[in-house]
Amino acid sequence: MFSVPKDQVLGLLDEAWARKSPAFNDNGLDVRIVDMGKVIGTHGERSVRMATRPGTAEIVSAYPVK
């Protein structure tokens, strides 16, 4: 769960996307794990795992990870 207010989650995901981290394929999705350099999760997570449809910016899922 993200530790930022709901109205800031999209901005956080935009920031993660702008960092252009390399993607790997997981079950047909492009997955990026982006170190945000700050705590973004309720359990101290500092990275976001973002899954997108290949070749697009369409986010399928995103959540904080350690």
Side-chain angles (χ1 to χ4, degrees):
M1 185 177 308
F2 289 104
S3 62
V4 299
K6 276 185 180 182
D7 65 343
Q8 294 178 17
V9 171
L10 286 178
L12 182 74
L13 296 180
D14 283 342
E15 182 183 340
W17 183 258
R19 291 178 182 244
K20 301 286 184 194
S21 101
F24 61 91
N25 187 283
D26 185 14
N27 290 323
L29 297 174
D30 286 345
V31 176
R32 292 170 174 78
I33 298 177
V34 183
D35 181 357
M36 299 302 292
K38 59 187 173 188
V39 175
I40 60 157
T42 57
H43 295 288
E45 299 94 339
R46 298 177 60 89
S47 298
V48 62
R49 182 184 193 276
M50 185 183 314
T52 58
R53 299 217 185 274
T56 74
E58 181 184 345
I59 298 173
V60 175
S61 69
Y63 51 88
V65 294
K66 291 240 177 197

